[in-house]
Amino acid sequence: MERVMNTYVEVKDQAVNDIALEIEQGVEEKDKIDSSIEEISASFEDNSGRCPECGSKVEHEGGCMVCRSCGYSKCG
Ligand SMILES: [Zn+2]
């Protein structure tokens, strides 16, 4: 009977470890997804009028993107 109990506890511990590992991996996956979303958001911001050099708002001047903060400009 005692041996059965020990086996039960070992199996239970193993199951708990497996679940903990899965949760850990799930969190890592979530972090990856979060950073991907941040990257995508950042690239959208670049296209919607943010300076890629300093992150300030850029102004549009004669078809060019001009940053007043750092002097960055891009035409076309
Ligand atoms: Zn700038």
Side-chain angles (χ1 to χ4, degrees):
M1 191 59 190
E2 205 172 286
R3 188 178 287 177
V4 173
M5 281 304 287
N6 282 342
T7 304
Y8 172 74
V9 169
E10 278 171 27
V11 169
K12 188 166 163 269
D13 280 353
Q14 188 58 51
V16 168
N17 285 340
D18 284 352
I19 291 165
L21 197 67
E22 275 176 31
I23 291 169
E24 213 169 276
Q25 285 168 346
V27 168
E28 278 176 24
E29 281 300 308
K30 192 182 169 296
D31 282 350
K32 278 184 208 162
I33 292 165
D34 280 351
S35 53
S36 301
I37 290 168
E38 274 173 31
E39 277 173 33
I40 292 164
S41 305
S43 61
F44 268 112
E45 284 202 5
D46 283 349
N47 291 334
S48 66
R50 289 269 170 191
C51 173
E53 295 294 323
C54 70
S56 294
K57 253 193 173 316
V58 291
E59 289 175 24
H60 294 270
E61 211 175 76
C64 297
M65 244 169 59
V66 181
C67 176
R68 296 288 178 204
S69 298
C70 72
Y72 172 89
S73 69
K74 189 184 176 185
C75 299

